[in-house]
Amino acid sequence: MSPNLQRRVRILLTFMGGQGAAQGLNLLCGLLILRWLPITEYSQYGLVYGFQMLVNAGLDLGFAGTIVALVGHRIHDKTIIGNYVRAGRRMRFKMMVFVLPTVSIFYYFMTKHLHWPVSTQVLLLLSICASVNVSGLQSYYTSPLIIHRRLTTYYRILILTALFRLVACFILFELGWITSVSAAWVNVVGIALTGVSLRAACRDLVEEPSKVNPKFTKQMVRYAMPNIPGLLFFALQGQISIFLIATFGSNKGIAQVSALGRIGQIFTLLNSINGVIVEPWFAKDDGSHVVKRYFTLVGMVLVGSAAFVGFTYLFPGVLLQLLGKKYADLRLEVVWIVLQGCIGFLMGMTWTVISARRLIFWQTTFVNIVLITLSQVGFIVFVGVTSPMRAIQMGCLSAAASLAAQVYNLFYGLKRGPRIDIEEHEHVREDSLPLTAVEAEVSD
């Protein structure tokens, strides 16, 4: 093999081994928690996880995801990367003031009819707030390692922290202390360990300025702004099945949807390919191979998806064995959740190409929102969301609508060209605004 091909194979093998091990440990831990917790306790744990995902998206607003594309070929300029990291973390800190109180009110009204103990409600809410406070480190210190292809270091950290979470939950189970609250706080500690470790691993790759450079902040905002409404919308969409069941259903329904979501975690490994392999591949392309590469990937995904859905339809018990006896009757639901995951993966891959090529426009964001909203409103009006099956079917329809919108967005963007040319920012001055004392302390 040529040296270039050898390098690509090595990256792919590192990704498959590292990501597979990290996600495998997380999946195993999640499945064990699913088996260890009673249905009511697991409904609490699943709902809290949904809130964590929603709040993280509301705090980040996609700024962490802009770093790879905006850095482009300037990967060896540590000050460039550092300015983006500092600017993004400062914006995340500011968003906490608005997002956390809003989510706390939303959480209260959603859970008050579920008859949870007050102490459980409070401790779970505090775990949500704590997790989103520490998750910013993981969000912003992942990009430098990915840019420099330090996948071994990156996955070593993920594997060790996943192993910590698994061992900690097992010890709690053996002591008889495993509950929704204790499991949620183990997650908080795991997220904090991951973030601190990633930051330490980036010390020689990132030089963060003592002050935030407003020019970098403006560039990140300008790049991400058209996609912010879509990110907030999709953050809610990702958890809407659980939220609808929590609002109109019962603890059992929440537990069933959350349990099926564990099956959906199989796609987490596949979705990681987008950020680690697909995005850098398309970001460095000179533009001449984008369409060919995209359709090659689409063909591969369609073949694999058809095989996976067919296997699940013929042998649903294989996947249901992972969930345990409490969820053995969800035979048809598991087929729909796999179909939803396959559609979602293809949609995510298409979005990754759009992001890597800097093809984000206001128009394309609202096309996505409109199509998904129409599909969901139509489903709720004509079918209704009264059971886990209906919630999952609505998720499939939403994923299909989003995929159609993203395909349109991609080819609209390719025809129009990138909205931001990174070359014009090659010599950005390092003018800056000082952090407040509180912001500096939090950032440091």
Side-chain angles (χ1 to χ4, degrees), residues 367-386:
V367 166
N368 214 353
I369 293 176
V370 168
L371 283 181
I372 292 179
T373 301
L374 289 176
S375 69
Q376 290 184 344
V377 170
F379 190 93
I380 293 172
V381 170
F382 294 105
V383 180
V385 185
T386 57

Side-chain angles (χ1 to χ4, degrees), residues 42 102 107 143 180 184 200 219 245 257 266 350 359 394:
Y42 192 72
T102 302
Y107 169 89
S143 296
S180 59
Q219 188 180 355
I245 292 296
V257 173
I266 295 173
T350 305
L359 306 176
M394 188 183 72

Side-chain angles (χ1 to χ4, degrees), residues 226-227 229-231 233-234 290-291 294 346-372 399-419:
N227 201 45
L231 284 172
F233 179 79
F234 292 119
V290 173
V291 175
Y294 174 71
L346 186 56
M347 182 275 295
M349 187 193 74
T350 305
W351 160 247
T352 301
V353 177
I354 292 171
S355 177
R357 301 305 302 170
R358 306 182 303 282
L359 306 176
I360 303 173
F361 303 91
W362 287 103
Q363 174 182 333
T364 53
T365 298
F366 285 106
V367 166
N368 214 353
I369 293 176
V370 168
L371 283 181
I372 292 179
S402 182
L403 173 60
Q406 296 293 12
V407 171
Y408 166 79
N409 293 344
L410 174 61
F411 287 96
Y412 171 85
L414 289 174
K415 181 178 179 180
R416 182 170 174 176
R419 191 171 60 90

Side-chain angles (χ1 to χ4, degrees), residues 91-396:
M91 287 187 286
R92 182 184 177 92
F93 174 80
K94 290 182 175 181
M95 288 301 300
M96 288 186 190
V97 178
F98 302 99
V99 173
L100 289 183
T102 302
V103 170
S104 298
I105 296 172
F106 185 38
Y107 169 89
Y108 169 75
F109 283 105
M110 182 173 291
T111 59
K112 70 175 184 177
H113 76 283
L114 295 173
H115 307 294
W116 296 356
V118 174
S119 60
T120 298
Q121 282 183 297
V122 172
L123 289 172
L124 290 177
L125 176 59
L126 290 176
S127 75
I128 295 171
C129 296
S131 68
V132 299
N133 270 278
V134 298
S135 61
L137 293 174
Q138 183 172 348
S139 299
Y140 282 96
Y141 291 106
T142 292
S143 296
L145 293 177
I146 298 300
I147 289 171
H148 284 272
R149 289 290 192 265
R150 292 194 179 178
L151 300 185
T152 301
T153 301
Y154 174 62
Y155 289 124
R156 183 185 300 119
I157 293 171
L158 294 189
I159 291 170
L160 289 176
T161 52
L163 188 61
F164 158 80
R165 180 169 171 256
L166 177 62
V167 172
C169 287
F170 178 75
I171 292 174
L172 289 174
F173 172 71
E174 287 294 312
L175 294 175
W177 297 344
I178 188 73
T179 64
S180 59
V181 173
S182 62
W185 277 97
V186 166
N187 287 345
V188 173
V189 176
I191 294 170
L193 289 175
T194 302
V196 171
S197 301
L198 288 172
R199 182 177 183 178
C202 290
R203 285 178 178 171
D204 64 326
L205 305 178
V206 178
E207 288 185 3
E208 293 186 55
S210 58
K211 302 175 182 179
V212 174
N213 187 325
K215 292 185 178 294
F216 285 88
T217 301
K218 290 177 182 178
Q219 188 180 355
M220 294 179 78
V221 171
R222 181 187 171 198
Y223 178 70
M225 187 62 72
N227 201 45
I228 288 177
L231 284 172
L232 293 175
F233 179 79
F234 292 119
L236 179 60
Q237 293 304 305
Q239 311 302 327
I240 195 165
S241 296
I242 290 180
F243 290 162
L244 286 173
I245 292 296
T247 303
F248 302 108
S250 62
N251 284 314
K252 182 178 180 180
I254 298 172
Q256 289 179 335
V257 173
S258 300
L260 289 168
R262 293 298 174 184
I263 300 296
Q265 279 192 338
I266 295 173
F267 293 93
T268 303
L269 172 61
L270 298 176
N271 288 329
S272 301
I273 295 175
N274 292 328
V276 178
I277 303 296
V278 175
E279 184 174 18
W281 191 32
F282 279 87
K284 294 187 294 184
D285 192 285
D286 61 5
S288 60
H289 303 96
V290 173
V291 175
K292 180 180 179 181
R293 288 178 175 179
Y294 174 71
F295 280 113
T296 299
L297 291 177
V298 168
M300 296 169 62
V301 171
L302 290 178
V303 172
S305 297
F308 194 12
V309 173
F311 175 83
T312 306
Y313 179 79
L314 295 174
F315 309 103
V318 174
L319 292 179
L320 290 175
Q321 285 289 333
L322 300 174
L323 305 183
K325 295 181 180 179
K326 297 191 294 289
Y327 306 96
D329 58 335
L330 303 175
R331 299 179 66 85
L332 189 56
E333 286 88 344
V334 75
V335 179
W336 281 94
I337 203 71
V338 169
L339 177 60
Q340 179 182 344
C342 291
I343 298 172
F345 173 72
L346 186 56
M347 182 275 295
M349 187 193 74
T350 305
W351 160 247
T352 301
V353 177
I354 292 171
S355 177
R357 301 305 302 170
R358 306 182 303 282
L359 306 176
I360 303 173
F361 303 91
W362 287 103
Q363 174 182 333
T364 53
T365 298
F366 285 106
V367 166
N368 214 353
I369 293 176
V370 168
L371 283 181
I372 292 179
T373 301
L374 289 176
S375 69
Q376 290 184 344
V377 170
F379 190 93
I380 293 172
V381 170
F382 294 105
V383 180
V385 185
T386 57
S387 67
M389 170 65 85
R390 292 290 181 255
I392 295 169
Q393 288 175 335
M394 188 183 72
C396 283

